[in-house]
Amino acid sequence: MITSKVSSTVPAEKLSIDEQIVPYKGTSSIRTYNPKKPKKWGYKIFVLSGIDGLVYNFKIYTGSISPVPGQPDVKASGNIVLDLLQPIPRGVWHKVYFDNWFNSPLLQVTLWKQGFCSLGTVRLNCVCGCQMPPDAQMKKSGRGTSVIQVTEMDAVELRVVKWYDNRGVTLLTNYAAVEPLSTIKRWDSKGKQHVDIECPSIVMVYNKFMGGVDLLDSLLALYRINLRSKKWYHELLWHFLDMLLIQAWLLYIRDFDLTDSPRTKKLPLLMFKLEVAECLLQKGKTIGTKRGRPSADVDELYKVKARKGPTVKIPAKAIRTDQYGHFPEFGNKKGRCKNPGCSGICKVFCCKCKVFLSLKPSR
């Protein structure tokens, strides 16, 4: 159900593929161990996302990776890329970015024939016949040195670029190149100052568009559901609940930026999750449109009232206006009416919102 929902979103032009770890130290047959990750134990999920963190497809790693039906076999890591790209339309020339665990010349050729541009770091032992100078030799030429080699494989032009910064970085692509060169700042430990070094275009493009999954991981880590359980599937359930909330928030941000609303009204992630939780707990069914003249904006009047002194928090607007279950109750205690335009004291309160409201013929 989740994959069908995220796959229905119109994909962006720039796509990145990477793995994420769902932390879990319990007993499970699909739990993995990766000593290079901050969270070493957990479930591995391969994710296809845009540069803004929106997920378009994902696949849980279960220990075996088979070729995709109807697709050529490009080894295990390449098969994952082809599997994740299944809902993406062919021939539109989306640009796909991934790291050296996925990248290979055979995958690059396959993606180009299916209408995808691709770029990623690569291990030199995966590129047969490509001789690049060692790091020690490039270090003598200075930081910012780059070397490019071009070849043709199955009528597809491939480019391998090695760039030396603090160490050598090798990239393989079927569309990008070295030119135009850019200038970036790096810290020189010997001179104790920042210096300008040359950076190829292929490196700048990779650094700019590869971080979609990393952005998603950073948002997940902010307010992750921390419920300990011995059930192996609970951690995946909490993870996907968090991921879906973040997807909803990212879509909300994208639509909000298209409006002329002031930025101060944009809900941050924490407030967005709190409002969703509050609405899920209390919101009922809509029984029809409200009749009569529209009332003043309660939220704006409430903010004015809150500036004058301490006020009790009122429910979210989605709860106040759902027209379900808001029945008056009479209590023994008295309280001031929470309607911003009223200063009366009464014993009547809303049984759902739990706030005092005075009943008058005028409202």
Side-chain angles (χ1 to χ4, degrees):
M1 184 271 291
I2 298 175
T3 53
S4 64
K5 287 294 183 181
V6 298
S7 301
S8 62
T9 308
V10 179
E13 179 189 1
K14 309 291 193 308
L15 304 170
S16 63
I17 294 176
D18 206 349
E19 60 184 24
Q20 64 177 192
I21 301 296
V22 181
Y24 182 67
K25 290 188 177 180
T27 303
S28 175
S29 60
I30 61 175
R31 185 195 61 174
T32 60
Y33 174 74
N34 193 333
K36 295 183 179 180
K37 295 290 184 180
K39 302 292 184 181
K40 298 176 176 55
W41 295 96
Y43 303 112
K44 183 186 293 186
I45 302 179
F46 300 104
V47 181
L48 170 69
S49 76
I51 59 175
D52 54 357
L54 273 176
V55 176
Y56 302 110
N57 200 3
F58 64 89
K59 182 178 180 63
I60 302 174
Y61 175 69
T62 57
S64 61
I65 303 173
S66 305
V68 183
Q71 296 282 357
D73 186 5
V74 289
K75 299 183 179 180
S77 58
N79 290 334
I80 293 174
V81 175
L82 296 180
D83 192 3
L84 292 175
L85 290 174
Q86 284 191 96
I88 308 300
R90 265 55 179 171
V92 189
W93 297 106
H94 288 275
K95 296 176 175 61
V96 188
Y97 305 91
F98 34 73
D99 60 20
N100 55 19
W101 193 84
F102 302 93
N103 204 0
S104 67
L106 182 58
L107 175 63
Q108 295 269 351
V109 172
T110 304
L111 290 176
W112 180 267
K113 290 184 176 180
Q114 295 186 10
F116 290 101
C117 298
S118 54
L119 164 62
T121 55
V122 69
R123 301 168 185 172
L124 274 178
N125 57 1
C126 296
V127 188
C128 299
C130 181
Q131 300 294 328
M132 284 290 182
D135 288 358
Q137 180 180 342
M138 298 186 71
K139 186 177 181 180
K140 294 179 181 179
S141 302
R143 297 171 69 179
T145 305
S146 59
V147 179
I148 182 172
Q149 289 196 14
V150 183
T151 187
E152 192 171 292
M153 180 178 175
D154 201 6
V156 178
E157 185 178 286
L158 300 179
R159 303 184 183 99
V160 181
V161 177
K162 184 173 183 180
W163 176 63
Y164 186 81
D165 187 8
N166 289 323
R167 60 182 181 86
V169 180
T170 309
L171 299 102
L172 172 66
T173 181
N174 57 17
Y175 83 100
V178 174
E179 302 291 340
L181 292 172
S182 303
T183 302
I184 60 174
K185 289 189 177 294
R186 286 291 186 269
W187 176 255
D188 184 13
S189 58
K190 292 183 179 180
K192 304 297 181 182
Q193 61 180 354
H194 287 93
V195 295
D196 294 332
I197 65 172
E198 290 185 340
C199 182
S201 172
I202 185 173
V203 178
M204 299 289 289
V205 171
Y206 179 80
N207 291 337
K208 184 177 181 180
F209 301 117
M210 179 55 195
V213 181
D214 293 334
L215 175 61
L216 175 64
D217 287 339
S218 65
L219 293 173
L220 284 168
L222 289 176
Y223 313 109
R224 189 187 295 275
I225 299 176
N226 291 319
L227 296 178
R228 297 176 64 88
S229 175
K230 293 184 179 180
K231 298 289 193 302
W232 66 271
Y233 51 85
H234 280 176
E235 290 298 331
L236 288 174
L237 174 62
W238 311 145
H239 173 78
F240 288 126
L241 283 175
D242 279 333
M243 188 183 75
L244 288 175
L245 275 170
I246 290 174
Q247 298 306 295
W249 180 71
L250 291 174
L251 290 172
Y252 157 75
I253 293 297
R254 187 179 68 179
D255 294 341
F256 186 92
D257 292 339
L258 297 176
T259 64
D260 297 330
S261 302
R263 297 180 61 88
T264 54
K265 289 191 175 182
K266 185 188 297 184
L267 289 177
L269 177 59
L270 178 59
M271 298 306 299
F272 181 84
K273 295 184 76 171
L274 287 174
E275 285 216 5
V276 170
E278 189 176 3
C279 293
L280 288 176
L281 286 171
Q282 300 189 38
K283 186 171 174 60
K285 297 180 181 179
T286 302
I287 59 176
T289 58
K290 186 178 180 181
R291 306 180 70 178
R293 294 181 299 174
S295 59
D297 191 349
V298 176
D299 295 285
E300 294 299 328
L301 296 175
Y302 179 77
K303 291 179 182 178
V304 176
K305 187 176 181 180
R307 297 192 194 104
K308 300 178 181 178
T311 55
V312 179
K313 183 180 181 298
I314 59 176
K317 186 176 182 179
I319 298 171
R320 300 198 310 268
T321 59
D322 65 356
Q323 306 177 33
Y324 181 81
H326 297 278
F327 297 106
E329 287 190 4
F330 291 83
N332 296 323
K333 296 182 179 179
K334 294 182 179 181
R336 190 173 297 278
C337 178
K338 295 302 178 291
N339 191 334
C342 179
S343 59
I345 297 177
C346 58
K347 292 186 177 181
V348 182
F349 64 94
C350 176
C351 64
K352 184 173 183 178
C353 299
K354 304 300 181 185
V355 297
F356 285 96
L357 294 168
S358 60
L359 301 181
K360 295 183 179 180
S362 60
R363 61 176 178 272

